């Protein structure tokens, strides 16, 4: 097992990365969070696979354990499901000392995390990610949220988890499609911070089946370290954490404008290629770097562009959190491992989208 320590101003915690860790979740939660009652929140894909094992482990650790199951998919990340989950926490007689365990992918982590952040103005959350995307990104760093009709993640809070248990053994049951989707965020981290990681994942793809747990442990741990270094320096995204939004300005716009029919990592991959091609056309990114990014994304079978028109993407991006008044912050790749957050006026951003969509 590899342990990565995250130390933010609001909380320090461990991310445990290993294989076949679920039977030990109870003792890890007990050690990190204490409390008496645990509510496990999971979805109807993950529950039949892992809920019994996790609940049994929590019971062995002495917790009164409850389990709430939501429908899988981004469409559950709304205030109706949030309210149902919070009613469940109340029925379980949870207090502020007790713990929500988010067992699942990014949707479960965000929604259960937001329920934990808002129930009684904040109890504890332990993240037990079961998708590669949640292991490398959403379970770490304390962002929790639900979506509005107007856009993704528009209501949320920061709540750092008490502990994260990333069991790469869970990836054995992940479909190739979901594994590939997750790789959008893995490629993003490599482009942001680690040329060696990009070489590694470009030469031998990490979405091959059957999964190689040892390699995935290494890749997940490295991704968590990359994210940890950013989040430790800027917990609440006032500065450096904005770099983690590489590919997300266009990626979120694709995701919401396509009605969440495409996976988050898939949209981030397309957004990463589109923005990098556009900033290359403006002379801000070397052409060879943009080519390398697009080739790597394509080699995973992920999209490097979107069919959505630039004006549809513009409208969706204007509702995004990354807009600040009349400007939108865009993460520009200067080289592999070197990025810059650059404000674009709305007019400049509209022109950037034309370049990104290949229409300028
Ligand atoms: N997923 C980007 C962040 O956590 O800041």
């Amino acid at each position: 097992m590899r342990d990565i320590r995250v130390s933010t101003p609001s909380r320090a915690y461990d991310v445990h990365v290993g294989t076949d860790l679920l039977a030990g979740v109870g003792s890890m939660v007990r050690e990190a969070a204490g409390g008496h009652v645990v509510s496990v929140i999971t979805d109807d894909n993950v529950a039949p696979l892992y809920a019994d094992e996790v609940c049994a482990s929590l019971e062995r650790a002495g917790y009164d354990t409850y389990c709430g199951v939501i429908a899988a998919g981004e469409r559950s990340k709304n205030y109706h499901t949030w309210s149902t989950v919070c009613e469940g926490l109340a029925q379980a007689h949870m207090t502020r000392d007790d713990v929500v365990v988010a067992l699942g992918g990014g949707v479960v982590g965000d929604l259960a995390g937001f329920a934990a952040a808002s129930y009684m103005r904040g109890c504890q959350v332990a993240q037990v990610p079961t998708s590669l995307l949640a292991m490398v990104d959403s379970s770490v760093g304390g962002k929790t949220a639900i979506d509005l009709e107007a856009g993704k993640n528009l209501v949320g809070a920061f709540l750092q988890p008490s502990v994260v248990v990333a069991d790469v053994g869970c990836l054995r049951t992940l479909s190739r499609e979901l594994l590939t989707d997750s790789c959008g965020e893995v490629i993003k981290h490599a482009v942001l911070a680690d040329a060696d990681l990009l070489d590694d994942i470009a030469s031998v793809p990490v979405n091959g089946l059957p999964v190689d747990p040892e390699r995935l442990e290494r890749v997940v741990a490295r991704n968590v370290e990359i994210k940890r270094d950013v989040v430790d320096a800027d917990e609440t995204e006032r500065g450096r954490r904005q770099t983690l939004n590489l590919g997300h300005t266009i990626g979120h716009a694709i995701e919401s404008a396509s009605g969440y029919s495409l996976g988050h990592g898939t949209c981030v991959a397309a957004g990463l290629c589109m923005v990098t091609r556009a900033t290359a056309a403006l002379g801000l990114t070397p052409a060879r770097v943009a080519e390398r990014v697009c080739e790597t994304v394509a080699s995973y079978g992920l999209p490097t562009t979107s069919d959505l028109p630039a004006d549809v993407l513009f409208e969706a991006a204007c509702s995004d959190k990354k807009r600040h008044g009349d400007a939108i912050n865009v993460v520009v790749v200067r080289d592999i491992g070197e990025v810059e957050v650059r404000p674009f006026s709305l007019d400049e951003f509209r022109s950037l989208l034309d370049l990104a969509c290949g229409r300028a």
Side-chain angles (χ1 to χ4, degrees):
M1 183 164 82
R2 295 157 204 253
D3 294 337
I4 297 131
R5 186 79 177 160
V6 181
S7 301
T8 68
S10 72
R11 192 191 296 269
Y13 54 96
D14 286 320
V15 181
H16 303 295
V17 181
T19 305
D20 299 332
L21 301 180
L22 292 188
V25 162
S27 51
M28 291 183 217
V29 173
R30 163 70 59 212
E31 191 183 328
H36 303 282
V37 181
V38 166
S39 287
V40 176
I41 306 300
T42 187
D43 70 29
D44 53 9
N45 285 340
V46 174
L49 297 169
Y50 304 123
D52 284 353
E53 188 176 2
V54 168
C55 289
S57 170
L58 290 160
E59 278 162 11
R60 281 197 303 277
Y63 285 110
D64 290 339
T65 304
Y66 297 82
C67 185
V69 182
I70 66 168
E74 186 76 28
R75 287 182 184 283
S76 285
K77 228 176 89 177
N78 58 39
Y79 58 87
H80 299 292
T81 320
W82 166 80
S83 141
T84 305
V85 167
C86 289
E87 293 289 352
L89 303 187
Q91 280 163 18
H93 304 294
M94 294 237 331
T95 69
R96 302 175 74 175
D97 302 325
D98 293 322
V99 192
V100 172
V101 168
L103 172 68
V107 168
V108 165
D110 281 7
L111 177 85
F114 184 55
S118 46
Y119 178 74
M120 293 191 173
R121 299 201 187 92
C123 55
Q124 298 192 72
V125 68
Q127 295 280 353
V128 184
T130 57
S131 75
L132 180 61
L133 188 141
M135 290 179 195
V136 299
D137 185 21
S138 55
S139 65
V140 178
K143 279 189 180 176
T144 74
I146 55 174
D147 303 333
L148 296 182
E149 288 297 326
K152 190 175 159 77
N153 294 342
L154 290 186
V155 175
F158 286 98
L159 175 66
Q160 298 296 338
S162 301
V163 65
V164 181
V165 183
D167 180 351
V168 302
C170 296
L171 302 177
R172 291 188 195 110
T173 55
L174 208 62
S175 66
R176 176 90 196 263
E177 190 188 354
L178 282 178
L179 201 55
T180 300
D181 178 66
S182 303
C183 290
E185 292 283 6
V186 176
I187 297 169
K188 178 203 81 175
H189 278 148
V191 171
L192 263 181
D194 191 337
D196 291 341
L197 178 63
L198 190 68
D199 286 344
D200 179 10
I201 63 171
S203 56
V204 184
V206 282
N207 62 342
L209 293 178
V211 299
D212 171 353
E214 209 292 311
R215 177 157 191 246
L216 281 171
E217 265 186 43
R218 221 175 353 101
V219 169
V220 169
R222 180 64 194 125
N223 274 264
V224 171
E225 284 169 356
I226 290 169
K227 181 150 186 186
R228 182 270 316 272
D229 290 348
V230 175
V231 167
D232 278 3
D234 174 22
E235 181 179 10
T236 54
E237 203 174 296
R238 304 284 164 205
R240 187 173 158 195
R241 188 163 180 173
Q242 293 179 46
T243 61
L244 294 175
N245 293 329
L246 173 61
H248 282 61
T249 312
I250 298 178
H252 274 177
I254 297 171
E255 210 176 345
S256 64
S258 63
Y260 302 104
S261 58
L262 297 168
H264 175 68
T266 302
C267 297
V268 167
L272 170 63
C273 293
M274 291 167 77
V275 75
T276 307
R277 268 199 311 269
T279 52
L282 292 177
L284 301 172
T285 301
R288 66 170 167 81
V289 171
E291 274 162 32
R292 175 118 172 88
V293 170
C294 294
E295 275 165 19
T296 307
V297 166
S299 74
Y300 275 76
L302 287 163
T304 60
T305 188
S306 162
D307 292 339
L308 290 164
D311 51 355
V312 170
L313 295 178
F314 182 69
E315 200 179 316
C318 284
S319 302
D320 199 90
K321 296 187 299 311
K322 290 174 277 302
R323 179 161 75 85
H324 298 276
D326 288 340
I328 291 189
N329 284 348
V330 174
V331 185
V332 175
V333 180
R334 290 294 196 179
D335 200 346
I336 304 300
E338 191 189 329
V339 296
E340 174 202 358
V341 179
R342 203 179 167 105
F344 279 65
S345 71
L346 293 185
D347 285 346
E348 288 168 339
F349 183 69
R350 182 65 183 76
S351 305
L352 188 81
L353 280 175
D354 279 333
L355 290 169
C357 293
R359 278 186 286 276

